[in-house]
Amino acid sequence: MANSTEPQKPQNTKKNKKKGVTLDTFYGAKIQNTEQTEDNIKENAPKPSKGNGNSPQTYEEFESEMTKKMEAFWEEKLEIMQKKFTHLQNQFDQTVKKNQALKARIRQLEDNDRVKGQESIKQSQNTKKLEENIKYLTDKVIDLENRGRRDNLRIIGLPEKPEINTKLDMVIQDIIKENCPEILEQGGNTATDRAHRTPSTLNPQKTTPRNVIAKFQSYQTKEKILQEARKRQFRYKGMPIRVTQNLASSTLNDRKAWNMIFRKARELGLQPRISYPAKLTIYFQGKVWAFNKIEDFQLFAKKRPELCGKFDTENQRARNT
């Protein structure tokens, strides 16, 4: 009896292939290598029978079934990829919108910064103008204060005694009689409107007497007394006193700044003089030179060999300290 022999399945001579490398699909979708999938289909596919053809499943049917499965598999993967792509597209659109908003914000900040810069320049200009106006007004007020004191004289060194403080008007007349009687002989008006000590209260910690401010009725008489006081030392009953102009405190401070230079100029025979309000004048090489600032005088002295190095106020202050 002839045995019907079915063709034996050929042994799978293929060596185990390495697993297909997984592919990172678009943002995370992972699918197996197509080549491995196709090999698996061919290996598992039933071989066609050469006998009566009563095989439970023909190769064509199996191939059709696997094709449908592959199509379903790829449709599923494609749908996942489509969702991923849609999600990424939405993120990209949001990023673009944020980027545009940031650009608009940057432009706005740049415009604001430009406007603030312009406003800062204007404020600096306005501040400079205000400072100039303040300086002008301050100088004007000081000048008006000095002019309001033009009839006054300041007497320094008059002793602090009750008999003097209660009769300052009479004491001033005695000073004029003792030091410049020619003014009285010429019939000058030496009367004073008022005279007082300054400051108004006595500081017990100070050993020097307070100054006396006297306001004369005649400006000409006041100037004559001041001119005589510049020529010689005034005295009251034998005690030395000083008579000077009564100026604003700021003007007095400006004049005091010239003290060291003034003394040195006097030693050198430059005939120094402080004129109103705080200007130094000297007589040098047959000319009268005037200086409003100490820096101007120092620059002048440095350029003259006869004066160079003799008016270094900083070194003089260091030696004095």
Side-chain angles (χ1 to χ4, degrees):
M1 181 175 172
N3 290 330
S4 62
T5 60
E6 293 182 358
Q8 294 182 356
K9 294 181 183 179
Q11 291 183 356
N12 189 3
T13 58
K14 289 187 177 181
K15 293 181 179 180
N16 291 334
K17 294 185 178 181
K18 292 182 180 180
K19 259 188 178 182
V21 178
T22 58
L23 300 177
D24 288 338
T25 57
F26 198 72
Y27 285 89
K30 298 181 180 179
I31 60 174
Q32 289 183 337
N33 193 308
T34 306
E35 182 180 355
Q36 181 183 356
T37 306
E38 292 176 353
D39 290 343
N40 291 336
I41 293 172
K42 290 179 181 180
E43 289 176 1
N44 297 327
K47 300 297 184 291
S49 177
K50 293 182 179 179
N52 55 13
N54 292 326
S55 176
Q57 187 178 20
T58 63
Y59 180 79
E60 289 79 7
E61 291 174 348
F62 176 78
E63 185 177 14
S64 175
E65 181 181 352
M66 294 306 299
T67 301
K68 291 179 180 178
K69 289 182 179 181
M70 288 295 295
E71 290 176 352
F73 171 80
W74 284 111
E75 285 177 358
E76 181 182 358
K77 295 300 180 183
L78 183 62
E79 183 179 358
I80 293 173
M81 292 174 64
Q82 187 67 33
K83 290 180 179 179
K84 292 284 186 181
F85 178 78
T86 304
H87 177 69
L88 292 173
Q89 185 65 38
N90 293 335
Q91 286 185 338
F92 177 76
D93 293 340
Q94 292 177 1
T95 303
V96 170
K97 291 179 180 179
K98 290 180 180 179
N99 188 30
Q100 292 175 349
L102 288 174
K103 287 181 178 179
R105 181 61 177 166
I106 290 171
R107 285 194 296 269
Q108 183 181 1
L109 291 174
E110 288 176 349
D111 294 339
N112 292 341
D113 185 65
R114 192 179 302 107
V115 172
K116 289 181 179 179
Q118 294 174 353
E119 290 178 354
S120 177
I121 293 173
K122 291 180 180 179
Q123 289 178 355
S124 299
Q125 294 173 349
N126 293 335
T127 301
K128 185 177 179 180
K129 290 180 180 178
L130 288 174
E131 289 175 351
E132 291 175 354
N133 291 337
I134 290 172
K135 184 179 183 306
Y136 170 78
L137 293 173
T138 302
D139 294 342
K140 192 70 174 176
V141 169
I142 293 173
D143 181 66
L144 290 173
E145 184 178 358
N146 286 328
R147 292 183 185 279
R149 301 183 183 201
R150 65 195 300 269
D151 297 332
N152 297 354
L153 283 178
R154 182 183 291 267
I155 304 172
I156 304 170
L158 201 61
E160 284 272 4
K161 294 181 179 180
E163 60 271 19
I164 294 177
N165 293 341
T166 56
K167 300 178 180 179
L168 285 175
D169 293 334
M170 297 176 62
V171 170
I172 291 170
Q173 298 300 320
D174 292 339
I175 291 172
I176 296 173
K177 291 177 183 178
E178 184 176 350
N179 296 277
C180 44
E182 62 274 8
I183 296 177
L184 295 173
E185 294 173 0
Q186 295 172 2
N189 181 12
T190 60
T192 57
D193 284 336
R194 60 182 177 274
H196 64 276
R197 293 275 187 180
T198 181
S200 57
T201 56
L202 178 63
N203 186 355
Q205 296 180 353
K206 286 190 175 181
T207 57
T208 57
R210 292 173 295 169
N211 296 343
V212 174
I213 305 298
K215 180 176 176 59
F216 287 82
Q217 294 180 358
S218 172
Y219 172 75
Q220 290 78 12
T221 301
K222 168 255 178 181
E223 282 294 315
K224 290 178 181 179
I225 297 172
L226 187 61
Q227 290 174 6
E228 294 298 326
R230 288 171 179 162
K231 295 177 184 178
R232 59 182 180 273
Q233 176 73 60
F234 271 32
R235 294 180 178 275
Y236 174 69
K237 294 183 179 180
M239 293 181 295
I241 59 173
R242 279 201 314 131
V243 177
T244 63
Q245 284 182 290
N246 179 35
L247 299 171
S249 58
S250 58
T251 305
L252 291 175
N253 292 333
D254 293 340
R255 290 191 167 202
K256 286 180 182 178
W258 289 105
N259 283 350
M260 298 180 69
I261 294 176
F262 186 89
R263 288 195 295 267
K264 189 64 179 179
R266 178 179 287 174
E267 292 175 5
L268 296 175
L270 299 179
Q271 303 176 19
R273 182 179 176 184
I274 303 295
S275 57
Y276 180 82
K279 185 192 307 183
L280 174 69
T281 59
I282 61 172
Y283 186 79
F284 180 69
Q285 293 181 348
K287 295 181 181 179
V288 177
W289 304 82
F291 307 94
N292 291 316
K293 297 181 180 179
I294 295 177
E295 293 80 6
D296 297 338
F297 177 81
Q298 290 176 339
L299 183 62
F300 171 83
K302 287 179 180 179
K303 294 180 179 179
R304 272 69 182 178
E306 302 89 338
L307 305 177
C308 184
K310 297 180 179 179
F311 292 94
D312 193 348
T313 56
E314 293 183 0
N315 292 337
Q316 291 179 12
R317 288 194 185 99
R319 286 195 294 268
N320 293 335
T321 55

